[in-house]
Amino acid sequence: MGVLISGAASAAETSDSVIVGVYGGDWEKNIRASGLEQFAKDNHLKLTVVPGADAEWFAKLRAAKGRRSPYDVVVFQPDTVQRAQAAGLLQPLDAKDIPNLNNLYKSVQSRFVYDNQTYAAAFSLGQLGLAYRSDLVKNPPKSWLDLWNPEYKGHVAISSRPTLLVYSSSRA
């Protein structure tokens, strides 16, 4: 997943408030507790957290048509970062303003670089493992591709896709 910085306001415009779109529930609780509220306090910012999801945030950014973005920062899945960047809704991140940006995994960050500009900062990776009952599976899968073998047809369930969390900036 990622955080995207909205570019609704011009680069020269400053504000004492920040609107952050995050997933609700435990996501929101943990993101707040991990330093978001302290950052806002330390920087004298009025923090507004808007719980939601990619589809809603993307639609609102697109509807803003480059005027008055409804968010300053949002958490997006990698595919939404790519769609938002392609639609011109994101503002590139400036490494001089984000000192740790260069400390992130290059192999992950490369997904968010277009024309030598970085549009998101990955902050979390998820994993999804293969599990099976050894008493029922005679030929255990050795890779994800094995799950498409005919012998597994009708016997495979996948709970979710692996997740990559990303911070990015929006230009809406």
Side-chain angles (χ1 to χ4, degrees):
M1 297 195 172
V3 174
L4 304 168
I5 299 168
S6 170
S10 72
E13 189 177 329
T14 61
S15 173
D16 61 352
S17 67
V18 63
I19 302 169
V20 181
V22 301
Y23 299 106
D26 285 340
W27 272 104
E28 178 183 354
K29 179 180 154 188
N30 290 322
I31 286 176
R32 284 178 179 270
S34 70
L36 183 61
E37 290 182 336
Q38 187 63 48
F39 176 84
K41 182 179 176 184
D42 292 348
N43 291 281
H44 310 288
L45 297 170
K46 177 185 177 233
L47 173 65
T48 303
V49 174
V50 181
D54 288 36
E56 173 188 356
W57 298 322
F58 183 82
K60 287 180 178 179
L61 289 172
R62 179 169 255 171
K65 297 181 181 175
R67 298 180 235 90
R68 299 294 304 150
S69 171
Y71 311 102
D72 298 302
V73 178
V74 295
V75 176
F76 272 157
Q77 294 288 332
D79 60 319
T80 309
V81 172
Q82 292 164 343
R83 288 187 309 129
Q85 189 282 329
L89 301 176
L90 303 180
Q91 174 183 329
L93 302 177
D94 190 338
K96 77 176 190 298
D97 295 327
I98 309 168
N100 287 322
L101 189 61
N102 290 325
N103 296 335
L104 301 174
Y105 289 108
K106 301 283 186 235
S107 60
V108 175
Q109 278 304 113
S110 65
R111 296 182 67 181
F112 310 114
V113 176
Y114 310 93
D115 297 326
N116 293 320
Q117 303 250 26
T118 300
Y119 288 87
F123 71 91
S124 176
L125 296 172
Q127 298 176 356
L128 187 60
L130 291 171
Y132 60 90
R133 285 186 50 185
S134 58
D135 61 325
L136 297 176
V137 178
K138 292 181 173 69
N139 182 21
K142 306 255 186 304
S143 75
W144 286 100
L145 290 176
D146 287 350
L147 298 179
W148 276 259
N149 291 345
E151 67 188 287
Y152 299 119
K153 187 173 183 177
H155 301 286
V156 174
I158 298 178
S159 66
S160 67
R161 64 188 178 132
T163 301
L164 169 68
L165 299 177
V166 182
Y167 283 102
S168 183
S169 72
S170 149
R171 172 172 292 172

